């Protein structure tokens, strides 16, 4: 099932001799190039960390309108504007705050995001959640109203691609039926012990790029109330990292990329940003024309018997 159960410990290990794999971009259904690795701009990530990530070579920035969840669009905007990097070389993705669901509110929120980010277009906009569970004031409308408004911005080329986050299968099916512009990206919680199999399969069948958040397992603290991150305690991942002289962070990043999953880990530490970056891998190279969901490399997966080679 999608992420059911608890992390397994001490499984038998069968790993590829070549763990460090190329980290390419994927191409969305509309032909837009979408990086497989980016910086998540929450969890304490501020402008100086965004600047550092850009200096290290990151080009995908994932932020959101929800300042009360730790995002700061305005600081991302300042970092991008002061980077000296041409705008078209930075992929900026933000997410619609649930309280802004509805036609008019979505319009205003998109304009507000572009002002905060100091841009005249967005590379990607996702609906952050399909409902607003903590809203003091009920949203003006539903995610369906927001989607129609997002389609308008997409058709006007003010947003290059659109998608959703935290949608379940039923909601994704509803979206697919009503959408004139089909979703390009689905962003959900995925890590080695919460693999979201069903939604990933849905994305594969519908030619939609799947993106993982909380890929190092922070949701085990937030949602499951565990005191420690099971990813960092995993003996399987530690052994793989030791074998290849890499950290658990890089093991997980390479595993996701091998599956064709885009990932956006948030980090304020230079050593973590460095170790997660593809150019830090001696085997790093760019694929010429990868297809959505089909990276040109063998994949590794953490199955019920541990990390294995997917042939």
């Amino acid at each position: 099932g999608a992420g059911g159960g608890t992390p397994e410990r001490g499984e038998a290990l069968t790993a590829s001799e070549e763990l460090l794999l190329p980290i390419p971009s994927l191409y969305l259904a509309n032909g837009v190039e979408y990086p497989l690795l980016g910086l998540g701009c929450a969890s304490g990530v501020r402008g100086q960390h965004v600047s550092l990530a850009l200096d290290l070579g990151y080009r995908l920035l994932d932020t959101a309108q929800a300042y009360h969840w730790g995002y700061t669009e305005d600081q991302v905007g300042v970092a991008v504007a002061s980077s000296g990097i041409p705008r078209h070389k930075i992929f900026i993705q933000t997410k619609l705050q649930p309280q802004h669901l509805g036609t008019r509110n979505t319009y205003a929120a998109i304009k507000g995001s572009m002002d905060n980010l100091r841009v005249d277009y967005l590379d990607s906009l996702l609906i952050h959640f399909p409902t607003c569970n903590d809203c003091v004031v009920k949203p003006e409308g539903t995610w369906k109203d927001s989607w129609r408004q997002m389609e308008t911005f997409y058709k006007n080329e003010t947003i290059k691609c659109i998608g959703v986050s935290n949608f379940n299968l039923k909601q994704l099916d509803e979206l697919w039926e009503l959408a004139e512009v089909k979703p390009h990206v689905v962003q959900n919680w995925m890590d080695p012990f919460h693999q979201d199999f069903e939604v990933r399969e849905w994305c594969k069948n519908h030619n939609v790029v799947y993106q993982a958040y909380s890929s190092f397992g922070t949701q085990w603290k937030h949602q499951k109330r565990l005191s420690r991150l099971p990813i960092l305690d995993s003996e399987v991942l530690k052994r793989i990292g030791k074998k290849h002289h890499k950290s658990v962070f890089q093991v997980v990043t390479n595993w996701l990329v091998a599956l064709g999953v885009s990932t956006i880990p948030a980090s304020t530490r230079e050593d973590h940003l460095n170790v997660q970056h593809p150019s830090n891998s001696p085997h790093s190279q760019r694929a010429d024309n990868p297809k959505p969901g089909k990276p040109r490399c063998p994949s590794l997966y953490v199955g019920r018997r541990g990390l294995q080679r997917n042939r």
Side-chain angles (χ1 to χ4, degrees), residues 247-262:
S247 72
V248 168
F249 293 100
Q250 193 162 18
V251 170
V252 173
T253 299
N254 277 275
W255 167 71
L256 289 166
V257 167
L259 293 175
V261 171
S262 178

Side-chain angles (χ1 to χ4, degrees), residues 101-122:
L101 294 175
T103 304
R104 293 188 302 274
N105 285 354
T106 295
Y107 179 91
I110 292 171
K111 291 292 189 179
S113 283
M114 289 194 292
D115 288 343
N116 291 337
L117 291 163
R118 304 185 178 197
V119 297
D120 55 9
Y121 71 91
L122 296 173

Side-chain angles (χ1 to χ4, degrees), residues 117-172:
L117 291 163
R118 304 185 178 197
V119 297
D120 55 9
Y121 71 91
L122 296 173
D123 294 283
S124 177
L125 177 69
L126 312 180
I127 296 176
H128 209 153
F129 280 88
T131 58
C132 189
N133 297 324
D134 59 355
C135 285
V136 177
V137 178
K138 184 179 178 181
E140 167 214 344
T142 69
W143 65 261
K144 297 178 182 180
D145 302 314
S146 294
W147 187 262
R148 295 187 183 97
Q149 185 66 272
M150 290 163 61
E151 288 180 324
T152 299
F153 277 86
Y154 175 81
K155 292 172 185 176
N156 293 335
E157 299 185 353
T158 310
I159 302 174
K160 304 302 182 184
C161 64
I162 53 180
V164 296
S165 182
N166 298 297
F167 272 47
N168 60 35
L169 286 175
K170 181 177 183 294
Q171 291 159 340
L172 288 171

Side-chain angles (χ1 to χ4, degrees), residues 136-301:
V136 177
V137 178
K138 184 179 178 181
E140 167 214 344
T142 69
W143 65 261
K144 297 178 182 180
D145 302 314
S146 294
W147 187 262
R148 295 187 183 97
Q149 185 66 272
M150 290 163 61
E151 288 180 324
T152 299
F153 277 86
Y154 175 81
K155 292 172 185 176
N156 293 335
E157 299 185 353
T158 310
I159 302 174
K160 304 302 182 184
C161 64
I162 53 180
V164 296
S165 182
N166 298 297
F167 272 47
N168 60 35
L169 286 175
K170 181 177 183 294
Q171 291 159 340
L172 288 171
D173 284 337
E174 289 181 25
L175 172 60
W176 196 261
E177 286 300 315
L178 74 87
E180 183 178 345
V181 178
K182 304 301 183 184
H184 305 107
V185 179
V186 170
Q187 183 191 100
N188 271 10
W189 169 21
M190 178 188 172
D191 66 43
F193 302 119
H194 186 280
Q195 295 197 36
D196 202 20
F197 291 109
E198 285 87 355
V199 171
R200 284 169 50 209
E201 185 67 18
W202 186 96
C203 289
K204 179 181 177 181
N205 293 337
H206 291 80
N207 198 27
V208 174
V209 167
Y210 183 97
Q211 183 174 68
Y213 72 80
S214 188
S215 53
F216 298 136
T218 52
Q219 291 301 313
W220 288 100
K221 278 189 175 182
H222 298 326
Q223 294 193 33
K224 306 298 184 180
R225 306 301 180 188
L226 299 187
S227 59
R228 288 181 55 82
L229 300 183
I231 307 303
L232 301 184
D233 288 339
S234 167
E235 294 302 321
V236 174
L237 297 175
K238 287 179 182 178
R239 288 201 301 271
I240 295 170
K242 184 178 180 180
K243 179 176 181 179
H244 296 278
H245 308 289
K246 298 297 172 183
S247 72
V248 168
F249 293 100
Q250 193 162 18
V251 170
V252 173
T253 299
N254 277 275
W255 167 71
L256 289 166
V257 167
L259 293 175
V261 171
S262 178
T263 181
I264 45 167
S267 182
T268 61
R269 292 175 50 175
E270 183 172 1
D271 57 335
H272 284 181
L273 288 171
N274 245 325
V275 84
Q276 290 159 201
H277 187 256
S279 65
N280 204 42
S281 163
H283 300 283
S284 178
Q285 56 182 323
R286 185 178 182 78
D288 293 330
N289 188 30
K291 296 179 180 179
K294 296 180 180 179
R296 293 181 175 180
C297 50
S299 60
L300 302 174
Y301 68 97

Side-chain angles (χ1 to χ4, degrees), residues 34-35 59-63 73 76-77 80-81 87 89-94 113 117-119 121-125 159-161:
Y34 195 84
R59 291 297 180 265
L60 166 60
L61 304 174
D62 174 84
T63 185
E73 281 184 331
V76 173
V80 169
R87 168 68 184 92
K89 292 187 176 181
I90 301 177
F91 195 101
I92 300 176
Q93 175 172 276
T94 192
S113 283
L117 291 163
R118 304 185 178 197
V119 297
Y121 71 91
L122 296 173
D123 294 283
S124 177
L125 177 69
I159 302 174
K160 304 302 182 184
C161 64

